[in-house]
Amino acid sequence: MQKSLNFFLKSSKTSVCRKVASSFINRKYVRNATTDLKLGKPKFETLLTEDYQPQNFEYNFVADKNTGLVGLELYNLEDFDKLMKNARTKCEDLRNEIVNLKEEDCSSKKEFAEKILNLSDEISNQLCLFLDAMEFIRCIDPRTQFRQKADSVHSEFSLYLHKLNTDVPLHAKMGIVAKDKSLFDLLDPVQQRCIELLYLDMEKHGGVNQQTEEQRIVELRSNMDYLTYSFSESVSKFNRFESNDASLVEMSPKDENFSKNYNYLFKGQNGRYYIYPNYYSNILAFEPNSELRRKVYISKFTSSEKNLQILDDLLTARDNYAKELSYPSYAHWYLNDQCAGNPETVKQFLTNLSKEIKPKVEQELDILRELKKDSTINEWDSFYYRRIAMKQIKPFSVNISEYFPLHKVIEGLYSICEKLFGVKLEPVKLSEHECYHPSVRKLAVVHETEGLLGFIYLDLFSRESKNVDAANFSVRCAKTSIHQLPVTALVCNIDPTIIDDSKKKVYLLSHSEVTTIFHEMGHALHVIFGQTPYQNLSGTRTSIDFVETPSQFMEHFAWDYRVLQDFARHYKTNEPLPISQFEILKKRREMFLGLDTQEQILFGLMDITFHSGWPIIDPITKRKKTTPEVFNEIKAEYSCIPPTEGTSYPGQFIHFTNYGAGYYSYLYSKVFSDHMWHKFYAPLTYPLNREAGEKFRKEALCGGSKDPKQIVRDMLGEEPNPKYFLKNLTK
């Protein structure tokens, strides 16, 4: 998941812009004079397995001791307000300079056009430098006061952003360049794309041309932001069982299953016994009693009334906002500038996939029906019989996790990046104030000829304070015109198996966790490589249905034995994972790939339906439908397994926060990435090919400087074809 806030005024060449951005530019990391970048591969085992940042380590980059949190001048709670005030002052100065700029004050029409572009992009830059950093802190920082303060200033500064988007004089001045052909044609293609996107983004989000009331737009947008964050926080707490409102399954001591499941039970204040919610998944997979599984399934997928109400309020707020801006629905508004273009295209894409994979899904269900000796498979049967069916595959003869120690996985990414792109991932020694948690590490991305390209934070381990499972945060996008380096954060919630003996500590990962790290590294590299002179076009600031392409592309390397054998090494013997065991991994993944894909299609249809007009009114009863009712109707039509009455899963679907009307993009982007992989990399003798890597970097990881539809066509040399994605789904 890519966490990048798409703010609407986003880089610059003028001296004023170079000056105002300087306090945010990362100039506090210096090459350690005592080391040499040619030392070879870093000792990741030492770097990653110590509880704290190792002090006796050969760092090639060392942070200045005064470097603050995420590279900002941020050391205590009072600094949040100082940074916000400075950012607002800079934006106001830039805004006034744009509005007051006259063509006669410039030496040429070209200089006039470029000044408006550069100043406009620098407003975007200042907005994002502050808001992206605050988004990261409020989601990830373990200190409650810091998270709360980051949330507070994020909300306050977002209000300023929304007001800025309704600024008519500013929008009009940008329009002079974006719409006047005599000025627009003086710019190069990248400049033209940047000013056009800035102008249209402001129009889209501020409603300037719709003659809407400024205060009304600001209020609607602020309410959307509040509800989005509230839903994210509430769902995260619910899913971590911190909110005390999970649906519980009672079990009487008289129940025949009581003694067998005693270790799963706790005694409530009322003296009754209940199953711990965090054991629900175990019971669904291992409990032979169908009725108990049914009760547990309903409880597991029942959301709290609080979450369902916040979701309903959020969907209503988004729909009201879109209609205020003269769009039929939020999905129409959101998709207007994405690859898909409109919700009708999205629904067609998802329903076509649903038809294509249905034979494979039915084949998989036949396996479960045979095991159950029943023609009906219910949702509470799936986990249990899928586990039993997996036994039909030859079992592993080794412990797979023992071949994926964390340091070897990161070494694997190091080698992949070096061989594909000519870059090294060099550890950075963090300052005391920058290191917000002992387990956090930082890597500098250094190209063999281009030098330092940017930085990646690694925050991999599970913590209660994290409200995301796995994500990449664009803390700062690049802006080459002022030498602003990108900073991104690769965040996971991994709970590794820890081997800790007297000799050394080792963190062992599942292959699924390895794939997640590779996925998020794809996002991180997109941020690092997607550098342009304009912040608004850099990194992952591209369409939602293209942004997952690089991350899904990187997953392929975790599933290619030619690459995997280089780093999948036993933590004791250093022997590679046997290919026979890798083949078992693949068979286990593919056995129920149809059902897994159908689930993703259902989530995509749920998301696009909710956002294509809310509320949804029953045509017969004229009653407003609930989100669980609508989702069950979707499942009844498109799922091969009947929906379970009494469940209310939508209130747990955290992707509504960052992928509202965009969840389809995971499948949409996978069509692109699979086509790319099977056309250019799978046929190679060895996929870590520098020429192929350079092609991917230059053509696919170019930020938003090109239309993503054009990027895909240029990269593939043809229109994207889903046949590669469907390769293992139509057998």
Side-chain angles (χ1 to χ4, degrees), residues 57-286:
F57 188 87
E58 294 179 332
Y59 291 100
N60 280 312
F61 291 87
V62 178
D64 182 277
K65 66 179 181 179
N66 295 319
T67 303
L69 183 60
V70 293
L72 302 178
E73 294 174 356
L74 189 54
Y75 313 101
N76 52 54
L77 294 176
E78 291 74 25
D79 294 329
F80 283 90
D81 290 309
K82 293 177 186 177
L83 284 173
M84 180 172 65
K85 182 180 178 181
N86 289 341
R88 180 162 183 164
T89 299
K90 291 167 185 175
C91 289
E92 284 295 301
D93 290 345
L94 290 161
R95 181 263 175 201
N96 292 335
E97 186 170 354
I98 294 170
V99 171
N100 295 322
L101 185 66
K102 296 180 176 62
E103 189 175 330
E104 52 265 32
D105 296 333
C106 303
S107 61
S108 66
K109 291 170 72 75
K110 183 175 178 40
E111 182 188 350
F112 175 69
E114 287 185 334
K115 273 194 172 183
I116 290 179
L117 164 62
N118 295 334
L119 291 165
S120 300
D121 186 73
E122 185 55 32
I123 295 178
S124 170
N125 191 34
Q126 292 299 318
L127 291 167
C128 293
L129 285 171
F130 183 76
L131 286 166
D132 283 350
M134 294 306 108
E135 172 71 6
F136 175 64
I137 294 168
R138 72 175 181 169
C139 290
I140 300 301
D141 198 293
R143 296 162 292 189
T144 302
Q145 288 184 313
F146 271 61
R147 289 200 311 277
Q148 291 175 343
K149 188 62 179 177
D151 179 45
S152 174
V153 295
H154 186 283
S155 299
E156 184 176 343
F157 200 66
S158 293
L159 184 63
Y160 170 69
L161 164 70
H162 302 326
K163 290 180 179 178
L164 201 58
N165 273 319
T166 63
D167 191 319
V168 175
L170 178 60
H171 182 260
K173 208 56 171 280
M174 292 166 61
I176 291 174
V177 180
K179 299 178 75 174
D180 186 336
K181 188 170 172 34
S182 67
L183 291 170
F184 187 74
D185 288 349
L186 295 172
L187 303 176
D188 66 39
V190 173
Q191 291 175 319
Q192 289 177 348
R193 178 166 173 78
C194 189
I195 190 64
E196 194 169 47
L197 287 178
L198 285 166
Y199 177 74
L200 293 175
D201 279 349
M202 189 176 178
E203 190 171 286
K204 175 179 179 178
H205 295 275
V208 179
N209 277 359
Q210 286 87 348
Q211 297 181 340
T212 49
E213 183 185 346
E214 173 185 335
Q215 189 57 34
R216 171 70 173 158
I217 290 296
V218 172
E219 289 174 357
L220 287 170
R221 184 73 206 195
S222 297
N223 187 42
M224 275 171 51
D225 289 349
Y226 167 74
L227 291 168
T228 298
Y229 187 67
S230 296
F231 186 70
S232 175
E233 280 284 281
S234 188
V235 172
S236 294
K237 289 179 179 178
F238 181 86
N239 289 345
R240 294 195 300 261
F241 312 113
E242 295 175 10
S243 55
N244 299 319
D245 52 4
S247 176
L248 299 177
V249 177
E250 183 180 352
M251 186 170 285
S252 168
K254 297 179 181 179
D255 193 305
E256 61 179 338
N257 294 295
F258 183 84
S259 58
K260 183 177 65 174
N261 292 292
Y262 186 77
N263 290 334
Y264 292 164
L265 305 178
F266 71 95
K267 194 173 185 178
Q269 292 181 348
N270 57 6
R272 297 176 179 176
Y273 288 90
Y274 300 91
I275 298 174
Y276 281 109
N278 50 329
Y279 286 115
Y280 285 173
S281 295
N282 281 11
I283 290 175
L284 287 172
F286 291 96

Side-chain angles (χ1 to χ4, degrees), residues 36 62 70 112 130 252 382 393 643 657 674 680 682:
D36 187 338
V62 178
V70 293
F112 175 69
F130 183 76
S252 168
S382 181
I393 299 174
T657 55
D674 284 4
F680 296 111

Side-chain angles (χ1 to χ4, degrees), residues 139-141 147 236 240 436 439 459-469 490-494:
C139 290
I140 300 301
D141 198 293
R147 289 200 311 277
S236 294
R240 294 195 300 261
Y436 57 89
S439 66
D459 188 350
L460 301 176
F461 301 122
S462 177
R463 267 196 324 272
E464 283 190 0
S465 59
K466 291 182 180 179
N467 73 355
V468 295
D469 287 327
L490 194 164
V491 178
C492 295
N493 245 321
I494 291 171

Side-chain angles (χ1 to χ4, degrees), residues 368-369 372-378 380-381 385 641-642:
L368 305 186
R369 292 174 184 130
K372 187 183 178 184
K373 307 301 182 186
D374 193 319
S375 61
T376 301
I377 295 295
N378 298 300
W380 60 87
D381 294 325
Y385 288 105
I641 300 177

